[in-house]
């Protein structure tokens, strides 16, 4: 994962919405969603919930 993807993933695990993540990282919500889609493909999940479960396990 890229540094941006890692940051988006970490904020996603905290329960932050795309809009909140975008505000914190000073990027657009669409950019957050694009990062999430790439993250999903890289780690083999299909949803935010599955990503959170995967990352919470370590």
């Amino acid at each position: 994962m890229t540094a941006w993807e890692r940051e988006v993933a970490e904020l996603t695990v905290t329960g932050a919405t795309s809009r909140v993540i975008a505000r914190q990282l000073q990027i657009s919500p669409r950019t957050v969603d694009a990062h999430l889609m790439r993250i999903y493909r890289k780690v083999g999940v299909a949803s935010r919930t599955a990503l959170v479960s995967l990352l919470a396990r370590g």
Side-chain angles (χ1 to χ4, degrees):
M1 265 190 260
T2 67
W4 275 108
E5 290 168 349
R6 226 175 281 117
E7 187 73 27
V8 168
E10 289 171 5
L11 289 169
T12 300
V13 170
T14 68
T17 64
S18 293
R19 200 172 261 182
V20 170
I21 294 169
R23 219 175 299 126
Q24 287 182 336
L25 299 179
Q26 298 180 348
I27 57 178
S28 76
R30 283 186 73 176
T31 302
V32 172
D33 292 338
H35 282 305
L36 283 171
M37 295 309 275
R38 280 193 296 279
I39 293 166
Y40 295 163
R41 278 194 306 270
K42 287 181 179 183
V43 299
V45 299
S47 69
R48 186 181 286 251
T49 305
L51 177 64
V52 170
S53 294
L54 179 70
L55 296 177
R57 284 187 269 153

